[in-house]
Amino acid sequence: MQNGEAMSPQDSKAAGAEAMEEQKAQNQSQNQGCMEPTAPPLPPPSPPPSGPPEYPRPRLIFHTQLAHGSPTGRIHGFTNVKELYAKIAEVFHISPSEILFCTLNSHKVDMQKLLGGQIGLEDFIFAHVRGETKEVEVTKTEDALGLTITDNGAGYAFIKRIKEGSTIDRLKTVCVGDHIEAINDQSIVGCRHYEVAKMLKEQPRGIPFTLRLVGPKKAFDMIGMRTRAPKSNEGKMVNGRETLRLRSKGAATVQEVQNEFEEQATKKVDDLLESYMGIRDLELATTIVEAGKDKKNPDDFAEALDSVLGDFAFPDVFLFDVWGAIGDVKNGRI
């Protein structure tokens, strides 16, 4: 186009469009090397937790004494019986292995107040430590010796009940609360109560065998006392509505005191444990009831029990009777 010539409207529009495209291309080339990377989008916020917020519980502190006499100590921070014994031993500067068992709210060798798997939040703990060691020769004149065995949850089996008129009852040096340390010089420390009961049951009739026993250390007002546990009202002593539940696996938990159904069912199962296995163990009975109380049939109950207590290998007839007892209590037949 020559100077002085006027542009047509079409030419003017085309030139403007061409100039805009050139400017856009220049801007892109200038910004290509200095573009800032864009951040990825933020994830959506997490939904608020359902239910009421959790608050840490206050530290639980328990008071304790040695049963034969001592100042009062304070313990806390335990989740099972072994840790409880270690805390008590630390307070009184003794070895945990010195502790045979504990009772609640009484310094006496009282199996009604034996510490099992639960402690009331206001309970006072008395630790019974090793006292006199004695050896007793026993000859079975009948299949059953008349002993009920339990254990302290830390490797010591001891006598919880002596049947009146039985072989053991005639041996006046044997007492409720005695720890069975050895049978025929074979140490049974570390054995569970059901294992010890089985060993005693397998002793042949008419052939003497030796029991090495360790009695709890006695205070002066207890010397000469021969305690016998009654057949009823055994178990934990609780004050208030909550207890500390000690567990062999996992952390201790604070929970409500058993309701009437759970208490009655636990007592019935404990009776069956004594009848079938020669042992008493309220914590074991409680675990069995918890496994069975919501089950719809015996097979589901047996499967649930095997998952938590498979090591016991309970016989089928025992499981059947336990299922029946739980059902009887649940339906008000007991």
Side-chain angles (χ1 to χ4, degrees):
M1 180 178 297
Q2 295 180 358
N3 293 334
E5 293 182 358
M7 295 178 63
S8 68
Q10 292 84 354
D11 292 339
S12 176
K13 184 175 180 180
E18 183 177 350
M20 289 176 65
E21 288 296 329
E22 289 180 359
Q23 185 63 42
K24 183 176 179 181
Q26 289 178 1
N27 291 342
Q28 286 180 347
S29 63
Q30 290 173 359
N31 294 336
Q32 194 170 22
C34 59
M35 289 179 66
E36 294 183 359
T38 58
L42 294 175
S46 302
S50 59
E54 293 186 1
Y55 298 101
R57 282 189 174 270
R59 184 173 65 174
L60 301 176
I61 298 177
F62 295 87
H63 293 86
T64 183
Q65 287 183 358
L66 300 180
H68 63 278
S70 76
T72 298
R74 289 154 57 93
I75 56 174
H76 61 86
F78 53 90
T79 60
N80 55 51
V81 172
K82 289 184 179 180
E83 291 180 6
L84 167 64
Y85 288 3
K87 294 290 184 179
I88 295 173
E90 183 181 353
V91 167
F92 296 113
H93 307 291
I94 61 175
S95 168
S97 63
E98 289 291 304
I99 301 174
L100 297 181
F101 56 87
C102 293
T103 51
L104 300 177
N105 307 313
S106 175
H107 69 286
K108 297 180 180 180
V109 181
D110 186 345
M111 295 296 109
Q112 294 185 65
K113 300 177 182 178
L114 185 69
L115 185 151
Q118 300 189 45
I119 308 173
L121 299 189
E122 297 177 11
D123 281 344
F124 199 108
I125 302 170
F126 290 89
H128 298 255
V129 300
R130 295 173 63 95
E132 176 189 3
T133 299
K134 51 197 173 185
E135 289 199 352
V136 181
E137 187 175 275
V138 183
T139 302
K140 289 178 74 172
T141 57
E142 50 193 347
D143 289 338
L145 288 170
L147 284 178
T148 298
I149 309 297
T150 191
D151 64 42
N152 68 355
Y156 287 171
F158 59 93
I159 300 170
K160 189 170 186 179
R161 177 178 293 168
I162 298 174
K163 183 180 179 181
E164 189 171 359
S166 65
T167 299
I168 292 296
D169 188 44
R170 293 190 288 270
L171 300 172
K172 300 305 180 184
T173 55
V174 180
C175 300
V176 168
D178 284 351
H179 159 49
I180 304 174
E181 188 173 59
I183 301 174
N184 286 333
D185 292 327
Q186 177 185 349
S187 173
I188 58 169
V189 174
C191 295
R192 292 300 311 274
H193 44 27
Y194 64 93
E195 295 172 318
V196 177
K198 184 172 183 290
M199 293 177 198
L200 292 173
K201 187 176 182 180
E202 291 173 348
Q203 296 299 316
R205 293 174 62 170
I207 299 178
F209 65 95
T210 302
L211 291 177
R212 185 163 74 241
L213 307 172
V214 181
K217 190 172 183 179
K218 294 178 172 64
F220 287 110
D221 65 337
M222 298 167 64
I223 292 176
M225 180 185 299
R226 179 181 169 93
T227 19
R228 186 185 310 282
K231 290 189 176 181
S232 61
N233 299 323
E234 288 190 337
K236 62 185 182 299
M237 298 289 292
V238 294
N239 295 306
R241 298 186 56 206
E242 291 185 319
T243 62
L244 181 68
R245 175 80 183 273
L246 304 178
R247 303 178 185 276
S248 57
K249 298 179 181 179
T253 56
V254 176
Q255 62 185 40
E256 293 291 316
V257 175
Q258 287 182 320
N259 59 36
E260 184 177 0
F261 157 72
E262 292 169 334
E263 187 174 353
Q264 290 185 7
T266 298
K267 177 64 173 61
K268 291 297 297 181
V269 173
D270 199 33
D271 290 342
L272 288 170
L273 284 170
E274 181 178 33
S275 176
Y276 278 91
M277 304 178 69
I279 63 174
R280 282 239 171 215
D281 188 332
L282 282 170
E283 173 59 17
L284 176 59
T286 299
T287 302
I288 292 173
V289 170
E290 288 178 347
K293 64 183 181 182
D294 297 325
K295 298 300 178 287
K296 302 300 183 184
N297 57 67
D299 291 338
D300 289 347
F301 168 56
E303 184 177 345
L305 202 59
D306 188 59
S307 67
V308 293
L309 296 172
D311 293 343
F312 282 84
F314 294 115
D316 290 342
V317 64
F318 171 79
L319 296 179
F320 182 80
D321 282 354
V322 167
W323 175 255
I326 293 175
D328 287 344
V329 175
K330 187 181 296 184
N331 296 317
R333 292 191 291 267
I334 294 180

